[in-house]
Structure formats: C-alpha cells, structure tokens
Amino acid sequence: MTVEHVNGDQFPSGLRVLAVDDDPTCLLLLETLLRRCQYHVTTTSQAITALKLLRENKNKFDLVISDVHMPDMDGFKLLELVGLEMDLPVIMLSGNGDPKLVMKGITHGACDYLLKPVRIEELKNIWQHVVRRKKIDAKDQNNSDNQDKPHNGSGQAEGMGNSDQNGKLNKKRKDQNEDEDDEDDEDDHNHEDPTTQKKPRVVWSVELHRKFVAAVNQLGIDKAVPKKILDLMNVEKLTRENKYRLYLKRISCVANQQANMVAALGSSDPSYLRMSSVNGLGNYHTVGGPGQFQNSTFRSFPASGMLGRLNAPAGLGMHGLPSSGMIPMRHAQNSDNTTNDQGKFHPALLPGSHSGNILQGMPTSLELDQLQLNKNITSISELPNTKDNTTFHVSSGFPDARIGFGRSTNPLLDVNNNPLFLEGHPQEAHSNKMFGNQSLMSLNSGSSSRLPDHGRCNDNWSSAVQSSGIQPNSFSLGGDYKQPTLHPGHLRDNLSTMALPIGNSPCDVSSLHPLSNRFQDPKADLQFQAVQDAPCRSNVMFSPLNSAVSINGDVGPLGQCLDTNKTFFHRSNEFDSLGQSNFVDHFSMKINEVQRSSMQASSNLKEGYLMGQQKTQGSYISTSVDSLEDLFMSSMVKEVFDDDVILLLQEQDKVLVPEGNFGCSSYS
Amino acid sequence: MERNQQLRRQLASMRQSLFDQGHLDEQFILLEELQDDANPNFVEEVVTLHYRDSARLITTIERALEKSPLDFNKLDGYMHQFKGSSTSIGAKKVKAESTQFREYCEAGNGEGCMKTFQLLKRDYATLRRKLEAYFQQALPGA
C-alpha cells in the first residue's frame, strides 16, 4: 500500500499513532492496518496504560485512536482526558454506530468516529486531523502576537461576565482580529494547540493569574477587556486572545449546551492542568478530564472562559497562589482542547494549592465544619508541587477518584481531612503528597449524590488536581462525585448542609475537577461538582456572588452559573444577598475578597447556591454563562456546598480548589 | 507439481465454500490482503487470536445465561464485545447471530437470547473447525 503524500512530502507516513482497544483481535487488526498506512504504531489494550504512555511524553504521539467500549475506562472519558491534557486529536472507534454515541463522541471532542470494522481507506485519512490541529495551533500563535489588536472591549467584558454575552461574544470574537474566524469555529479550536508546541505556551502561572485577577479587578468587570487586562498584567506574550477568546468561546458554547458547560468546566480544568506545565507548579492538571467536556466548543472556552473565571480563582485560592499557578492559565494554551474550558477552572482550583497559604486561610474561613457536608473534596487540583506535572493524575481519570467525593449522600462532609481524595491520585505522586497533608477534601462528599450528571465531572476533577506545590489541599472537589445521582434536587439537599465553607478557599470547585474524573458517572459531569464547589466558594466570596465566582478561579463558569444560580441563591436565601446576579463578573474581583468573606457567606450561599443551582442547574447551564461557567458554578456551587468544598478549606490547607468545572455539566 | 496444484485447488475450494456457505464475508478478504511477505501468517494469527479471546467470552455469556433473572445489560455488553471481535475476522453468520442476540437483550426476551445463543455457538464452532482445517492445509508445516 502506498502512503499518501502530501505536497510531495512523506508526511502521513511516520505519523505516530497510539491505538487503544481492549479486544486483542481488533487491536491487532488495527495495528496492521495502520502499519500498512506507513504509520508508526503503538498499541495497548488498556486505557490506563495509554494515558500513562501519553503522559510520559506528550510529544511522542500525534494521534490517538481509541475504542469506545473498554473495561477499565470508558472510551469517552479517555477521550476527554487526552484532549484536555495532551490536546491530541483522538479518533473514536466502535462497533456501534448509533448516532447518539457518535454525537457523544463528537461532543467529547473526538476528531472522528469510525465504525468497526475499520477500513484502511478511512485510516489513510486520519492524518488530516493532525494537520488540522497544527494549523489551528499555528493560528493561535499568530493571534497572540496581535495582542494589541483592539478588541471589542465590550465583548470581552461580557465574555467575562455573562453568558448573555454569548451572542455578543460570538460577535466579538469575530471582531477580534486574531484569527477570529478560525477561532470562531468552535470546533476544535485549539488555541495554541499544545500538541504542536510551536509556540511557547503561555503558562498561566499563578502569577499570571494573580495579575489577571488584579487587572480585572482594577478594570472592573465591565471594562475588563482582554486588552486592558493584558496591559495591566504586562505579561509578555500573554495574548489577550488566550483568555478572552477562550472565554468567549466558552460562553458561546455554553449557550449552546449545558453540557458544554460542564464540559467546559471539565475542560477548563484540563486546560488548566495543562497549564500546569508552566511553572513547574506541578501539574495543575486540573483534571483535564472535564476539559473534554462536552463540547468541543468548549475548547475555546477553556482558555478564555476560564480566564474570566480565573479571575476569581485567582482571588480565590490564590491567596498566595503563586505556586499554584492556577492552571487555568492554560486556557490560552488549552483552548485547544475543548475541554480547555475546564482547564480554566482549574486555575481556580489551584489557587488553593498555592503553597497552602490559601488553604490555610481557607480552612479557617471555610469553616470546614460546616462543610461537614461530606464534601470530600479531593483537592486534587492543587497539588502544589506538582512536580509531576501531570497534576495528579487526576486527569487521567483519577482512578481513585481521588476525590472521594462520591460521598454524595452525606452532606456531612467530614471533610476536615478527607484525604479521601487522594485515593486515586496519590498515585500521582504529587497528589498524594499533597493530599496527604492537605487532607484533600474530597468535596464530593455528600455531593456525590448531588452530582447530577456530574458523571462528567469525574474526569474533570482529576484535572483539578493541581499539584502545584501548594499545599496539597487542593481539594478536588467534586471529583468523585461518582454519584451521578446528583440530581439537582440532591444538591439542594446537600446544599443546605453544605455550608459551603468554600467561600473562602478558592479551593472550591476547582478541586472538583479532579473529582470529575472519578465520577464514573459520565452523566454527572462532575463539572457540576466543580462548579458547585466553585460556586460555593464563590458564594462565600460572592457575597456578590459574582465575585465569588472567581473564587474558584474557574469560578468564571461558576460565576456564570452563579448568575443562573443567582436565582438559586435567592432561594437559598443567603445567596440572594450575594447578589448573584453577576457572579461571573464579580468573580474575578471578588474572589479575593470573597474568599475570605465568602467563607462565611458561602456557607449560606452554598446552600442557597446549591439549591439554587440545582434548580437552576438545568437552567444555568443554559444560561449563558458561558455555559460552562454556569455549569461550573452550578456544579460548583452545588458541589461546593455539598462537598464541603469548604472542607477543603479546613485545616490543613486543604485546598479545595474546586477546579471549577466540577461537573457543571451535570446540570444539564 | 500436480500434488501441489491439487492441494492448491483444494484449498481454494475450501475457502470458496466458506464464503458460499455464508460463514465468511469480505472482511476476511481484507485480512488476506493485509497479509504479505512482511506478515506472512497474518490471517491465521488474527483468527487464532480471535478464537482464543472469544472462547472466554462465550463461556462468560453461557454462565450469564444460566443466571436468573437474566441481566440483559451485561449480556448485551458481552455480546457487543463478542460481535466486535467476530466482525474483525469476517465471521458473517456469527456476526448476524450476535446482532440478533443483542436485539433480544434489548427486548428483554430471555428465551430468544438463549435460542439465538445456541445457534451462534453452533456456527461459531463450525467456522472455527473449518478455518483450522483450512489453515492446516494452507500453511505448510502448520
């Protein structure tokens, strides 16, 4: 067989493919077919192994082909994780051609969906996906150079704050110079596709985040135009686009689907996680899992969306997050991964990890006791020293679901030190460390039940684990919300219990992300969880709710959610005061403040929030908030409350980093 | 020479009958196409691998069918796996029966499942036997 040549190049040949399929016959067949296409093939029958291989060296592969139906891990989950963490094109393979499944694959970020038996002709074309990604990435690179391009300030501001802006944002995005067109596409826009690594990723370190938040605060949400923020931040190479665009995308995407939101959350986390590479902060791998969330559109979000949110997170946990390098920063980079949105969330989470400062502060504020809610928020996200860069394996689907979140049923978060989360992650090495100390609050506690559909969150949570050197406290909230049952209704219940201590610690939600991985329940998209957490946090912080949103860093989404949640909050009563109306907006700003105050408030909020969330969850998600944000928020809020996101805060630095997306998706 | 020719003709006719009888479909031909000098026993390898792996599944399904009440979800899951594997080698009849089985699972028809499974097992065994004989002839010294 001859290999197709592109422009006379030998390009397709030598393409490095990783094939994953539990059926040995199919795997052998696939391998042979791929070899026939002159690709360089590596095979494995286990998803876990695949992730390990991918993590070992991100540049080792160009493309991943995976079966959907696998015993050790759901193919979609793997898809999300890979997309979030590694930003590689993933092709799904299945014997089942049910359009619903195909749709699921696409929404999770798959580049393609092939049916078995696979034909060699189809395989001959897969290289196109790789090229496409690279191209987009290249474009992103260009964009970053255009920092000065005048952005529609309004659009941007909007992006940050409201999902309503979606419409606007979309428009804005278009207006934006930087390859707007490319980016608008929302499907696999890989802003700065990390896979190609052509351009140095802007690592969204904690500093950046802090700067970002500060800039936003300074400008005020309304005026927080990416450009200005950039200026303020004075960060080199930090393209406005990165954050904003992602954000916008997110927002627009969010509008589309609630799921997206969740995804975004998830993705943001992942994206964040990815960012982790930055400072060595370890891996903020914000549970990239969620990143994949659902919408490819999210991808764009992560970066931008998250940023918006991150603002909050920066404030959130970041107290000192310098270390935590909030993963969210990734967004710029992560934008690629649809899940990127998620990544953003992570940042929120990470802050928690910052050297524990946050956590410490949080615990106090968190009043974890309140959190007793069982929120075992696995602080996954904040693995501060994540030297492991993979941020706690969280993303890899935290097998242990570190996030002990699953606890869902018990609102009693014993979180105090629920090192629960570390379960899955401890393996991650960093995460373990962190958790050990930090008692990763598995926020999920209690919320697990809440995790409404957070199933998705599961994966996301993992990413939340930002191992940034910060005190491991990063509670990976929601991560394990295994309990898909989190029906919004549950959340409410949980919420009440959840006194969201989270308010203080940015940990909220972000930690949720990691949890998402755990949540086996695909439905539940932990994102919610994260969101919940995030909101929780933000709640605390939120007093205006909006601001609180930022708490999570990712809170952005939460903010969004919060917005929607606001309705919730009102319900909860506490929240009302929060002024939920603009969580999102406030997020960034308030995050810092909120954090502290939110804690107290959060508890209230949480409940309110959570409650609200649950209710609104469905609504939120759709609520513009960047969809993700909403999801995030809602989930976070829920989670947070439920999960004791606050728990994270308690003592030990548990950084609850609710990675933001914890499972917002479930809301839908 | 003549012996060789005879053998080859025999082999060809064996192979053809497998197609004619509906045991194999074009997927098998694709497998054959993938076989080359670099991979001379590819088809046999794949087939052997398939039978080894699927035997386990067959047993699992059988055991699951003995339970009461039947867990259709699980059964469907196993069968999905089995079907995927069978499809890869082009086992036509077996594949059709797998599909049928899954439909019964969806409908919750336990009896239909069991009946279909019996048919499936029979065809599965037949094809296996025939392929083994085929390879024995096809591969000298095998």
Side-chain angles (χ1 to χ4, degrees):
Chain A
M1 302 226 192
T2 56
V3 176
E4 290 167 353
H5 290 278
V6 181
N7 298 331
D9 277 347
Q10 293 284 330
F11 169 60
S13 107
L15 196 72
R16 296 158 307 166
V17 183
L18 175 63
V20 190
D21 192 335
D22 65 317
D23 185 309
T25 314
C26 296
L27 193 60
L28 176 58
L29 179 57
L30 183 62
E31 181 184 356
T32 310
L33 285 169
L34 289 168
R35 291 247 158 85
R36 265 310 163 87
C37 295
Q38 310 269 328
Y39 297 149
H40 184 267
V41 191
T42 307
T43 61
T44 172
S45 61
Q46 301 207 329
I48 312 264
T49 313
L51 276 171
K52 193 156 81 77
L53 283 172
L54 287 166
R55 294 209 175 115
E56 269 170 19
N57 184 351
K58 303 215 168 147
N59 291 333
K60 206 159 159 222
F61 299 103
D62 296 310
L63 177 85
V64 179
I65 296 188
S66 165
D67 185 33
V68 166
H69 195 98
M70 288 192 289
D72 63 337
M73 186 189 291
D74 181 29
F76 294 118
K77 198 189 292 196
L78 175 65
L79 162 62
E80 282 186 3
L81 290 174
V82 172
L84 279 177
E85 275 190 41
M86 291 113 205
D87 194 27
L88 282 177
V90 181
I91 294 180
M92 301 307 292
L93 209 53
S94 173
N96 189 338
D98 183 6
K100 285 198 231 86
L101 274 189
V102 177
M103 175 60 91
K104 191 172 178 196
I106 300 302
T107 53
H108 277 62
C111 290
D112 207 346
Y113 195 105
L114 303 179
L115 291 187
K116 288 184 187 174
V118 183
R119 295 272 172 275
I120 196 158
E121 293 76 25
E122 293 172 322
L123 292 178
K124 288 218 184 122
N125 291 332
I126 61 179
W127 60 268
Q128 293 173 10
H129 298 294
V130 178
V131 175
R132 231 175 268 132
R133 281 222 177 192
K134 290 195 178 165
K135 216 160 159 278
I136 290 180
D137 191 29
K139 269 194 196 175
D140 284 340
Q141 306 235 345
N142 288 340
N143 289 340
S144 22
D145 293 343
N146 293 336
Q147 302 201 359
D148 293 337
K149 285 203 185 153
H151 278 274
N152 295 319
S154 48
Q156 302 188 350
E158 295 182 351
M160 305 240 199
N162 314 322
S163 45
D164 298 351
Q165 315 263 355
N166 291 340
K168 287 216 241 164
L169 290 176
N170 288 331
K171 184 164 173 301
K172 287 225 189 248
R173 270 192 289 142
K174 290 202 189 227
D175 295 338
Q176 290 183 9
N177 311 329
E178 288 109 345
D179 293 344
E180 288 291 356
D181 295 336
D182 299 333
E183 313 249 309
D184 284 345
D185 267 354
E186 302 232 329
D187 33 59
D188 319 19
H189 277 299
N190 299 323
H191 295 272
E192 322 197 25
D193 191 43
T195 45
T196 54
Q197 308 242 328
K198 297 217 172 115
K199 135 174 134 156
R201 294 239 217 142
V202 174
V203 174
W204 198 250
S205 62
V206 175
E207 322 253 6
L208 279 184
H209 186 81
R210 252 187 299 131
K211 279 195 190 161
F212 183 83
V213 176
V216 172
N217 283 342
Q218 198 175 327
L219 292 172
I221 290 289
D222 293 338
K223 301 218 180 98
V225 178
K227 180 163 197 290
K228 287 200 191 149
I229 293 188
L230 275 177
D231 292 340
L232 280 183
M233 288 177 67
N234 207 17
V235 176
E236 199 181 315
K237 288 193 171 210
L238 181 63
T239 316
R240 216 173 355 164
E241 292 293 314
N242 297 350
K243 262 217 187 198
Y244 189 54
R245 203 153 358 152
L246 292 176
Y247 185 76
L248 288 181
K249 281 210 168 138
R250 251 186 338 146
I251 299 191
S252 51
C253 294
V254 170
N256 298 333
Q257 306 176 21
Q258 304 183 357
N260 296 336
M261 294 193 34
V262 177
L265 292 180
S267 45
S268 21
D269 287 337
S271 43
Y272 284 123
L273 292 181
R274 296 228 261 166
M275 301 218 5
S276 55
S277 55
V278 180
N279 301 312
L281 285 181
N283 315 305
Y284 293 117
H285 287 302
T286 47
V287 186
Q292 288 274 341
F293 296 137
Q294 321 182 347
N295 300 315
S296 43
T297 54
F298 281 93
R299 292 209 274 180
S300 49
F301 275 73
S304 38
M306 308 280 308
L307 295 185
R309 292 213 267 210
L310 296 183
N311 298 324
L316 305 175
M318 308 268 315
H319 299 305
L321 293 183
S323 44
S324 53
M326 312 260 298
I327 320 188
M329 298 309 203
R330 285 276 312 222
H331 47 271
Q333 321 230 342
N334 297 322
S335 48
D336 301 315
N337 300 321
T338 52
T339 53
N340 291 326
D341 290 331
Q342 303 274 338
K344 305 241 202 140
F345 288 90
H346 296 300
L349 298 178
L350 297 184
S353 46
H354 321 304
S355 52
N357 300 330
I358 317 235
L359 295 179
Q360 310 204 344
M362 313 227 307
T364 54
S365 48
L366 291 182
E367 307 199 341
L368 297 175
D369 294 346
Q370 302 183 353
L371 296 180
Q372 299 285 335
L373 301 180
N374 300 325
K375 308 264 197 105
N376 302 313
I377 311 181
T378 48
S379 45
I380 316 186
S381 46
E382 300 262 355
L383 298 181
N385 295 292
T386 57
K387 294 283 176 119
D388 293 298
N389 297 311
T390 50
T391 60
F392 312 126
H393 305 301
V394 169
S395 36
S396 45
F398 303 113
D400 303 348
R402 320 224 249 160
I403 323 202
F405 298 135
R407 300 233 276 195
S408 57
T409 53
N410 305 313
L412 309 180
L413 301 176
D414 288 87
V415 180
N416 294 312
N417 289 312
N418 294 311
L420 304 182
F421 312 113
L422 301 183
E423 309 176 12
H425 303 302
Q427 301 163 10
E428 308 289 349
H430 289 310
S431 40
N432 295 330
K433 303 201 290 196
M434 318 258 324
F435 296 135
N437 305 326
Q438 325 260 324
S439 56
L440 301 176
M441 313 237 325
S442 37
L443 294 180
N444 294 315
S445 51
S447 22
S448 43
S449 53
R450 294 180 313 150
L451 301 178
D453 313 343
H454 291 304
R456 304 280 303 251
C457 303
N458 298 322
D459 297 329
N460 303 325
W461 294 100
S462 24
S463 42
V465 186
Q466 310 196 359
S467 35
S468 48
I470 315 182
Q471 315 277 332
N473 298 322
S474 44
F475 300 105
S476 39
L477 302 175
D480 291 293
Y481 289 112
K482 302 268 200 91
Q483 324 220 355
T485 59
L486 288 183
H487 306 302
H490 294 296
L491 292 179
R492 284 198 282 186
D493 297 334
N494 297 323
L495 296 177
S496 49
T497 50
M498 306 204 357
L500 299 185
I502 314 187
N504 307 328
S505 45
C507 299
D508 354 349
V509 196
S510 33
S511 43
L512 290 179
H513 288 300
L515 299 179
S516 46
N517 291 323
R518 302 264 305 195
F519 296 111
Q520 305 284 338
D521 309 342
K523 312 182 298 186
D525 292 346
L526 295 184
Q527 309 217 338
F528 274 21
Q529 311 238 338
V531 168
Q532 302 238 334
D533 288 329
C536 295
R537 305 275 180 163
S538 43
N539 292 326
V540 171
M541 311 211 330
F542 292 10
S543 1
L545 276 194
N546 298 322
S547 48
V549 177
S550 45
I551 308 186
N552 296 312
D554 290 319
V555 181
L558 290 180
Q560 305 276 343
C561 300
L562 291 181
D563 282 330
T564 49
N565 290 325
K566 295 195 301 190
T567 54
F568 295 131
F569 291 124
H570 293 296
R571 286 197 248 256
S572 47
N573 39 52
E574 318 251 320
F575 293 119
D576 293 347
S577 53
L578 295 181
Q580 315 177 347
S581 54
N582 301 317
F583 287 114
V584 181
D585 298 351
H586 298 295
F587 276 108
S588 42
M589 320 234 335
K590 303 309 185 115
I591 305 191
N592 294 315
E593 305 181 346
V594 178
Q595 296 180 355
R596 326 222 198 159
S597 50
S598 44
M599 289 291 300
Q600 309 283 338
S602 51
S603 41
N604 295 327
L605 295 176
K606 281 215 318 200
E607 301 199 336
Y609 195 78
L610 291 177
M611 309 234 339
Q613 297 225 334
Q614 301 194 343
K615 301 191 181 175
T616 51
Q617 293 206 339
S619 49
Y620 292 128
I621 308 198
S622 41
T623 46
S624 55
V625 179
D626 289 307
S627 49
L628 288 182
E629 301 204 293
D630 279 335
L631 289 177
F632 192 75
M633 302 272 316
S634 42
S635 51
M636 305 233 356
V637 170
K638 291 198 195 171
E639 303 288 343
V640 172
F641 295 115
D642 290 336
D643 295 322
D644 293 330
V645 168
I646 314 198
L647 295 180
L648 301 181
L649 303 182
Q650 29 169 289
E651 36 201 47
Q652 316 195 6
D653 310 322
K654 301 216 195 146
V655 180
L656 285 185
V657 199
E659 307 219 324
N661 301 312
F662 303 116
C664 288
S665 51
S666 50
Y667 296 118
S668 48
Chain B
M1 269 330 179
E2 187 162 311
R3 175 77 183 135
N4 250 355
Q5 262 181 5
Q6 229 181 14
L7 283 177
R8 256 185 294 180
R9 248 183 284 133
Q10 211 178 2
L11 206 58
S13 107
M14 267 174 105
R15 179 181 170 281
Q16 191 56 44
S17 84
L18 284 171
F19 284 102
D20 294 340
Q21 290 170 3
H23 283 294
L24 292 178
D25 58 25
E26 57 278 354
Q27 177 67 18
F28 190 81
I29 300 179
L30 284 173
L31 288 186
E32 288 176 326
E33 283 174 2
L34 282 176
Q35 185 160 294
D36 58 10
D37 291 337
N39 229 336
N41 301 331
F42 179 66
V43 186
E44 196 212 359
E45 273 173 27
V46 178
V47 170
T48 307
L49 187 54
H50 163 70
Y51 280 113
R52 201 186 324 140
D53 185 54
S54 58
R56 187 181 38 90
L57 267 174
I58 294 270
T59 313
T60 307
I61 298 178
E62 234 166 353
R63 260 192 259 123
L65 279 173
E66 284 162 12
K67 294 214 173 115
S68 174
L70 290 178
D71 184 343
F72 289 111
N73 271 339
K74 274 220 178 111
L75 284 171
D76 185 74
Y78 296 140
M79 193 47 83
H80 172 83
Q81 268 183 272
F82 179 82
K83 181 181 170 195
S85 191
S86 302
T87 306
S88 299
I89 68 160
K92 194 169 174 186
K93 276 196 186 169
V94 173
K95 176 173 148 189
E97 271 138 15
S98 309
T99 308
Q100 177 77 76
F101 183 95
R102 292 191 74 199
E103 281 171 17
Y104 279 131
C105 279
E106 235 174 292
N109 184 341
E111 203 170 303
C113 282
M114 292 203 233
K115 282 212 194 108
T116 308
F117 189 65
Q118 293 311 312
L119 286 173
L120 184 152
K121 265 208 301 185
R122 188 198 59 193
D123 286 331
Y124 171 84
T126 305
L127 179 58
R128 181 177 193 162
R129 198 173 16 96
K130 293 197 178 208
L131 282 174
E132 274 170 12
Y134 173 75
F135 288 124
Q136 259 190 346
Q137 289 255 149
L139 302 174

